[in-house]
Amino acid sequence: MKISETTSFPFPVLAPWSDDIEGATISAEIKFREEKETSQVTLHCAASIDQPEIADLIHKGLATFGCYVRCVDTGVRRLQPMSFPSGLHEFAPGALLGYVYIRPMVWTVSKVSSYKPTGLHPEYVGSFDIGPGAILALDYEQVIEVSR
C-alpha cells in the first residue's frame, strides 16, 4: 500500500492536508516502548477524530482505527487495527528494527451506504456507497527509530 499526502481518492477523506471534509480534524499521538533485551516493540496510539459520521462508523463497528506500519529493514507492512480512541499493540520480538513508518488512519470494515459526512466540500455531490477496506481518514505519517 502506498499512501502519501498526494494520494487521490474517489470519495472524501478526512486529512490535515485536505479540504475534502471541512471543519473537522484527525490527530494521533504515537509513543513506543522498546525492550532492549528482546527487541520487542509496543506501540501506543491515542487519536482524536471530531468528525461525527466517521466517529459513529467506528463506534458502530463499520470502520476501524489503526495504523499502517511499515518497516523497511524487516519487511513488515501491515494495517494494524487499534482500539479507539487509545490503543496499543505488541509486535513480535525483532519484527521492527531501524526506521519504522507509522500512518494513523480509519478504514471501513464492511460496506457503508449513503456516506455523506458533515462538512463535505461542495465539489462532492450526493452520497457515496463505499466498500470494505476504503480509507476514510488519514493523519500524517510519523517515524520512530528502533535500536538494533
Side-chain angles (χ1 to χ4, degrees):
M1 177 184 307
K2 187 166 180 127
I3 298 171
S4 73
E5 285 77 18
T6 59
T7 303
S8 295
F9 297 90
F11 47 83
V13 172
L14 177 64
W17 58 87
S18 169
D19 62 358
D20 286 359
I21 302 172
E22 298 171 334
T25 59
I26 176 174
S27 63
E29 180 182 356
I30 295 172
K31 295 180 181 178
F32 76 102
R33 186 180 72 237
E34 178 182 0
E35 295 294 333
K36 301 279 187 197
E37 297 80 33
T38 62
S39 296
Q40 182 175 13
V41 173
T42 301
L43 185 69
H44 177 265
C45 189
S48 170
I49 299 171
D50 63 3
Q51 203 299 319
E53 287 82 8
I54 294 174
D56 191 49
L57 290 172
I58 294 170
H59 293 300
K60 288 181 177 175
L62 298 173
T64 194
F65 171 79
C67 295
Y68 179 59
V69 180
R70 182 172 55 95
C71 180
V72 176
D73 288 2
T74 63
V76 167
R77 294 176 188 270
R78 79 164 74 147
L79 272 175
Q80 183 59 58
M82 301 187 90
S83 295
F84 179 80
S86 180
L88 60 88
H89 180 75
E90 291 182 354
F91 288 86
L96 303 177
L97 295 171
Y99 291 106
V100 181
Y101 303 86
I102 303 163
R103 184 174 300 272
M105 61 176 51
V106 175
W107 64 93
T108 57
V109 293
S110 59
K111 182 178 179 181
V112 175
S113 299
S114 302
Y115 177 65
K116 186 175 183 178
T118 303
L120 188 63
H121 191 280
E123 73 181 8
Y124 292 103
V125 179
S127 61
F128 300 85
D129 291 334
I130 301 174
I135 295 170
L136 299 179
L138 294 166
D139 197 8
Y140 290 110
E141 183 173 72
Q142 299 175 43
V143 181
I144 62 172
E145 186 174 6
V146 179
S147 301
R148 296 177 181 271

